[in-house]
Amino acid sequence: MSYSDLQQKPIAMFDMDGTLLDLAFDDFIWNECLPERHAQVHQCTLEQSKQTLFQFYQQHKHTLSWYSSAYWTTKVGVDVLQLQYEHRNKIKARSGCFELLEQLKQKGYRCWLLTNADKAGLQLKLENVALSPYFELMISSEELGYAKEDVSFWRELQQLHPFDPTKAIFIDDTVAVLKGAESFGISKLFSILQPSSSKAARNSNELPYPALDELTDLFDCLETHLQVTDAKTA
């Protein structure tokens, strides 16, 4: 296939944690395991530990540091990556993940995995869930120097891997990330109703983007999106 043919194929861009993978693993690590280990290491109560950690979490949300296991290891004195490896058996794909990736492959889509997980975290997930065969490109925001919430992430991505934002689809569970993508010019944006199986589904009416319940709902949502877009431009 020539480069020009490749450029004509639509691109489906996916977030990883909370979109393709169940966010319950990350919720468990950051909200249960780390506070317990932190309390042991620093000889404080679990409540004190949670208070300290959650204050740190709020300070660094939506920054590159937030997603860095090396940063948190230094910051809190616990090997966060090791903690994740200890519980790696809890890493699971979300329902419909592989079915949707197969459908996209059959329909001729190019698939890109764009994650805020650092390179070590991405490697951990790929060792435990067989996502790699479906993606021509897998990028950690650590490589680009910006979190996906920042429009600079998208500019850097396009510099390295040219693509037409008007032909791309992007699915992510985080509203701030979708807003960054929208600012860059991607209009086919979708969220996820229930990123974590350990938490209740969100209310679709409270999300600013169409949200998928099952990942395999994507094509139905795309049809609706096109009808709405056509109505707007009519």
Side-chain angles (χ1 to χ4, degrees), residues 110-127:
R110 303 164 66 193
C111 290
W112 291 8
L113 183 67
L114 308 174
T115 179
N116 270 331
D118 60 9
K119 289 186 283 187
L122 173 58
Q123 182 61 36
L124 164 67
K125 302 292 172 63
L126 295 179
E127 284 170 9

Side-chain angles (χ1 to χ4, degrees), residues 174-191:
T174 303
V175 168
V177 170
L178 291 165
K179 284 184 175 170
E182 186 174 28
S183 298
F184 180 69
I186 299 173
S187 61
K188 297 187 190 79
L189 299 164
F190 300 93
S191 193

Side-chain angles (χ1 to χ4, degrees), residues 161-232:
H161 306 279
F163 69 94
D164 181 351
T166 64
K167 290 183 180 162
I169 301 163
F170 179 49
I171 304 103
D172 197 296
D173 65 302
T174 303
V175 168
V177 170
L178 291 165
K179 284 184 175 170
E182 186 174 28
S183 298
F184 180 69
I186 299 173
S187 61
K188 297 187 190 79
L189 299 164
F190 300 93
S191 193
I192 299 291
L193 269 186
Q194 191 177 15
S196 170
S197 62
S198 65
K199 293 181 178 174
R202 301 182 286 190
N203 185 338
S204 60
N205 296 325
E206 293 172 2
L207 292 169
Y209 301 95
L212 308 177
D213 185 10
E214 288 288 326
L215 283 167
T216 46
D217 295 340
L218 177 64
F219 290 108
D220 289 339
C221 285
L222 273 172
E223 295 256 332
T224 306
H225 181 279
L226 287 172
Q227 287 165 9
V228 169
T229 306
D230 289 345
K232 282 181 182 170

